Every structure is written in C-alpha cells, then in structure tokens.
Amino acid sequence: MRFLFKLLGLILLLAGVYFLGQNIYFSTNVYPYWWRGIAADGSILFLTSGILMLFVLPRQEKALGWVALGIGILLIFFSSRAVLTPTSLWQFCVSMACFVGGYQLFTTGRLNI
C-alpha cells in the first residue's frame, strides 16, 4: 500500500511539472554571440544533472544537486532562450497543489492537510 502512495506521489509531481511546463518554451535560434549556445546547452545539462543528483546522492551530498540546479537556472537567464508565456491562476494553483501533494506522498506516504 505504501508503494502505491509513493507511485501516486510521483505521478502527481510529474503532473505538476506538466501543468506548469506548458507555458515554458525553449527556443533554439542562431546565436549572435558564441557563449549563448553554450549557456543554453549547459542549462539543460545542469538542470538534468541537478535533479538526478537530488534523487540519487545520499542525504549528506544533496547540496551538490541544489548547486547544479542553481547554475542551470542562472544559465537559462544568461542564454535568454527560455520564453515564459502567461500562466492562468487556475493552472498555477493546480500545478502547486500537484507539487505539494505529490511531494508529501512521495516522501512520507501520506498527505498532511
């Protein structure tokens, strides 16, 4: 039964990413400066590796994953290739509810409402 709650939590986390990520576009254009292409590629690599580090590394080394996520977010702003479109309040609320509920189910196996 506990496995089922953790699986439901993971599904809710992915649903939260889906609802919020519908309004974020990454564009690939010809870059006027050489470093923008590297920053765009690096942001994807750092974000992906940071998320993997948070799930795989032991608790003492999870700070390394947060550092990688921070670098990835900074590189997104440096590359200026992430286009954020307006999000409705409904989508934002559903996304945050899925994130919070999914995280609680995934980590503890129960909802604290």
Side-chain angles (χ1 to χ4, degrees):
M1 191 68 167
R2 190 161 174 91
F3 173 74
L4 186 62
F5 286 135
K6 288 193 180 267
L7 183 64
L8 181 64
L10 182 63
I11 291 170
L12 282 173
L13 277 170
L14 292 174
V17 169
Y18 172 75
F19 286 126
L20 196 59
Q22 282 181 333
N23 297 320
I24 300 172
Y25 301 103
F26 291 99
S27 66
T28 55
N29 294 335
V30 177
Y31 299 104
Y33 305 109
W34 65 272
W35 57 269
R36 286 192 179 182
I38 294 172
D41 296 339
S43 66
I44 299 299
L45 291 174
F46 274 105
L47 288 173
T48 305
S49 64
I51 290 170
L52 287 174
M53 283 184 222
L54 286 176
F55 282 107
V56 174
L57 291 178
R59 175 165 273 182
Q60 299 86 0
E61 298 171 2
K62 290 207 188 269
L64 189 61
W66 288 112
V67 169
L69 282 175
I71 292 171
I73 291 170
L74 284 174
L75 287 176
I76 285 174
F77 289 115
F78 285 140
S79 69
S80 65
R81 293 291 144 202
V83 179
L84 305 174
T85 59
T87 303
S88 70
L89 183 60
W90 174 249
Q91 279 181 318
F92 184 74
C93 288
V94 168
S95 175
M96 287 299 119
C98 286
F99 274 132
V100 171
Y103 182 75
Q104 286 180 355
L105 280 174
F106 190 71
T107 56
T108 64
R110 61 188 185 114
L111 286 174
N112 295 328
I113 298 178

